[in-house]
Amino acid sequence: SQGPMAAPLANTLSDGTVENCINRMTVTFNGASDIALSGLVAKAEGGQILNCVNDANVSQTVDGTSVFDVCCGGLVATAGGNLIIKDSDNKGQISVDFKGTKRPAFAGFGGLVGRITDGSKDEGYVCLDSCSNISAIEVKYSDVSSGGGWHGVSVGGIVGIAALYSDEYKDNSGAMGVGVKDPTASDYEGIYTEIENCVNEGKVSNETITNVDSKVLNMKIFTGGIAGSLVGASEGCLSVVRNCVSKGDVVRAVVVRTV
């Protein structure tokens, strides 16, 4: 379940409109807690964000020993429902650091939106149109024990992740974990996401400290210039990227540590 949410403009947007707004206030979090952090709106359940700008840095340091439900975005941390984000930009750096053996779950970090976990073609969709990110998105993630569940980190220049999650997955050791829900399953409700006419100019960096094998690591860590993870399987649950450009470097650094 999502814990605290923090953003300069609004904690939650539900079927309202945010228009012609600029944030210049730095947003920071440091603690042992789930957190949704953003430069504009923490949680957008529907509505419109039009012609808005985040012009300040957003940073979070997660410190603890539990599994954390976390997300962070320049404009919106976690999004769903029928939401349109148009003609809006992020100019602030996004910095996320998981200290020690912290295990992020449901984790998405993006220049515009961190995580999309709701919305289908029948019920509504999330659309990002003519938006841009010009600043760096930097995530440091530690997973220094073998296995540890299917907890994942997705980092993208525009969107971190658009996917439904399930807690019914098992890792290679048989331990229960959290993973992206199988989009071919009969009970998959779907995510309908459109990203069009968007530009990323910021560096996207995902640094991992681990001692797990490459197969397990590849199931957990996703990095992309436009999006880290987009999942869609049918007409009712599509993820579409159209007429987008990524100009920023995409860096995935892996540090292997024996413990």
Side-chain angles (χ1 to χ4, degrees):
S1 61
Q2 183 64 57
M5 297 182 289
L9 189 67
N11 183 294
T12 303
L13 172 68
S14 181
D15 297 325
T17 298
V18 178
E19 188 171 8
N20 299 325
C21 294
I22 300 176
N23 171 56
R24 294 191 175 96
M25 181 175 68
T26 300
V27 182
T28 60
F29 172 84
N30 189 340
S33 176
D34 296 354
I35 185 71
L37 206 66
S38 165
L40 205 68
V41 175
K43 183 176 183 179
E45 299 176 327
Q48 299 181 93
I49 297 175
L50 308 174
N51 194 33
C52 292
V53 177
N54 173 52
D55 197 13
N57 294 341
V58 180
S59 64
Q60 58 179 256
T61 301
V62 183
D63 193 1
T65 57
S66 300
V67 174
F68 291 97
D69 174 359
V70 293
C71 50
C72 184
L75 298 183
V76 176
T78 180
N82 192 340
L83 175 68
I84 295 175
I85 303 174
K86 188 172 182 179
D87 298 323
S88 297
D89 308 304
N90 176 59
K91 299 180 180 180
Q93 180 172 316
I94 309 297
S95 303
V96 181
D97 189 5
F98 293 92
K99 294 292 187 181
T101 58
K102 276 39 96 180
R103 300 194 179 284
F106 306 98
F109 310 102
L112 275 295
V113 177
R115 180 181 67 190
I116 301 171
T117 58
D118 187 15
S120 66
K121 190 173 183 181
D122 294 331
E123 300 174 359
Y125 68 98
V126 176
C127 177
L128 290 89
D129 184 5
S130 303
C131 297
S132 70
N133 171 65
I134 66 171
S135 291
I137 300 98
E138 299 179 346
V139 176
K140 295 182 179 180
Y141 162 55
S142 299
D143 183 4
V144 295
S145 64
S146 295
W150 286 50
H151 314 306
V153 176
S154 293
V155 187
I158 301 297
V159 173
I161 186 168
L164 290 178
Y165 285 87
S166 170
D167 60 1
E168 298 177 355
Y169 284 81
K170 294 183 179 181
D171 66 13
N172 289 356
S173 68
M176 295 302 293
V178 177
V180 173
K181 196 168 183 178
D182 180 2
T184 63
S186 59
D187 63 343
Y188 186 80
E189 298 173 6
I191 294 291
Y192 194 80
T193 304
E194 292 185 350
I195 305 171
E196 56 184 358
N197 306 313
C198 292
V199 177
N200 172 54
E201 297 185 21
K203 177 181 178 181
V204 181
S205 175
N206 195 345
E207 179 181 313
T208 309
I209 299 173
T210 183
N211 72 340
V212 301
D213 61 64
S214 59
K215 179 179 179 181
V216 175
L217 182 63
N218 287 335
M219 294 175 179
K220 296 182 178 184
I221 309 301
F222 309 95
T223 313
I226 297 297
S229 299
L230 296 176
V231 177
S234 68
E235 183 180 352
C237 51
L238 295 175
S239 293
V240 179
V241 177
R242 182 186 298 113
N243 298 328
C244 293
V245 177
S246 181
K247 300 179 182 179
D249 293 338
V250 177
V251 179
R252 177 178 165 184
V254 179
V255 178
V256 179
R257 175 184 297 172
T258 302
V259 294

